């Protein structure tokens, strides 16, 4: 299972390589984590 997840991460990194470089993150998962964190902060303020 771990090998499959690592392979999926590798494929995601390849697919989103240009985008992640443009926005300055190491990988797309980092971007997704930050996006969720910001959305949660906005939701708390409402």
């Amino acid at each position: 299972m771990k090998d499959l997840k690592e392979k999926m991460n590798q494929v995601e990194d390849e697919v989103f390589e240009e985008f992640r470089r443009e926005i300055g993150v190491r990988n797309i998962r980092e971007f997704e984590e930050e996006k969720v964190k910001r959305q949660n902060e906005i939701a708390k303020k409402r």
Side-chain angles (χ1 to χ4, degrees):
M1 191 70 161
K2 183 179 178 182
D3 291 337
L4 178 60
K5 184 64 176 171
E6 288 176 2
K7 182 64 176 171
M8 288 173 54
N9 288 346
Q10 181 182 3
V11 171
E12 285 179 347
D13 291 344
E14 291 172 9
V15 169
F16 292 103
E17 183 174 2
E18 185 176 335
F19 175 70
R20 68 175 182 78
R21 285 184 183 182
E22 288 177 9
I23 63 172
V25 295
R26 290 177 291 185
N27 57 57
I28 196 66
R29 290 163 303 286
E30 181 179 296
F31 168 75
E32 291 172 338
E33 290 171 11
E34 288 298 317
K35 183 176 179 182
V36 169
K37 188 186 300 183
R38 286 191 304 267
Q39 289 174 335
N40 287 340
E41 289 173 0
I42 291 169
K44 286 180 184 179
K45 291 179 181 179
R46 292 183 181 171

